[in-house]
Amino acid sequence: MKKENGKMEQLHKVDDKAKFENVYHAIMRAGEEFYRLSCNLPSALDEVRKMIHGRYDLAAHYVFDASNTYDNSRKLDDLNEAHNCLFFQMSSIEYLVKTHGCTIGQANNVIDVTRDAYVQTDRWKNSVIKRMSVSEVKTC
């Protein structure tokens, strides 16, 4: 039985690494897409631009932190933080459109890749929740 647990632990490590790479690269693509847009923003919107770049950086940080821990509750906290960072990008990008800082088409490009990062993070978070619930059932 111990070997089976060891194999399951190895499978979780591989699974987490694959999910981390998917999520991390999706966040980086979103940041890159926003960078293309941000070069043309008016200087009056510099604070919004900085906040958006900062949240992409924070999301990447939290995802990286989640990939480097075996504690599922801490991993879940980090993934929730990354999830929140990506969620709040939508309102900031909408603000840029409403203030005529960018066009709807430019914003949609950023939103599409940000949504992909958000969905990838959500999938990873759900797999951690599922793993935690399975381990709680086994201990009972």
Side-chain angles (χ1 to χ4, degrees):
M1 186 101 166
K2 193 167 188 168
K3 283 187 177 182
E4 287 178 17
N5 288 340
K7 286 180 183 178
M8 288 301 289
E9 187 65 33
Q10 287 175 345
L11 287 175
H12 289 308
K13 288 178 190 175
V14 171
D15 186 44
D16 273 353
K17 182 158 177 54
K19 286 189 170 116
F20 160 70
E21 288 187 7
N22 289 340
V23 172
Y24 187 77
H25 291 298
I27 291 169
M28 291 301 163
R29 276 191 305 275
E32 182 181 2
E33 189 66 36
F34 179 72
Y35 176 75
R36 288 188 203 120
L37 163 78
S38 70
C39 296
N40 299 322
L41 291 176
S43 60
L45 296 171
D46 278 347
E47 286 300 314
V48 177
R49 180 183 50 80
K50 288 177 188 177
M51 288 177 63
I52 292 172
H53 279 300
R55 279 195 298 256
Y56 281 126
D57 183 47
L58 270 176
H61 164 76
Y62 284 125
V63 165
F64 188 77
D65 198 31
S67 73
N68 287 307
T69 184
Y70 295 114
D71 180 10
N72 283 329
S73 62
R74 183 169 161 219
K75 185 180 300 245
L76 187 58
D77 289 343
D78 287 335
L79 291 173
N80 276 328
E81 290 297 327
H83 203 253
N84 287 337
C85 288
L86 294 169
F87 178 78
F88 290 118
Q89 296 295 60
M90 304 303 178
S91 63
S92 295
I93 293 168
E94 182 182 357
Y95 180 79
L96 292 177
V97 172
K98 297 290 184 184
T99 57
H100 303 286
C102 67
T103 66
I104 293 173
Q106 291 171 320
N108 281 340
N109 290 340
V110 175
I111 287 171
D112 286 344
V113 291
T114 302
R115 185 179 301 123
D116 180 48
Y118 182 81
V119 167
Q120 294 286 339
T121 306
D122 196 43
R123 285 183 187 151
W124 188 11
K125 187 176 84 165
N126 288 337
S127 74
V128 171
I129 291 169
K130 185 177 178 181
R131 189 178 325 139
M132 288 172 69
S133 65
V134 167
S135 67
E136 284 178 11
V137 169
K138 286 183 180 179
T139 58
C140 290

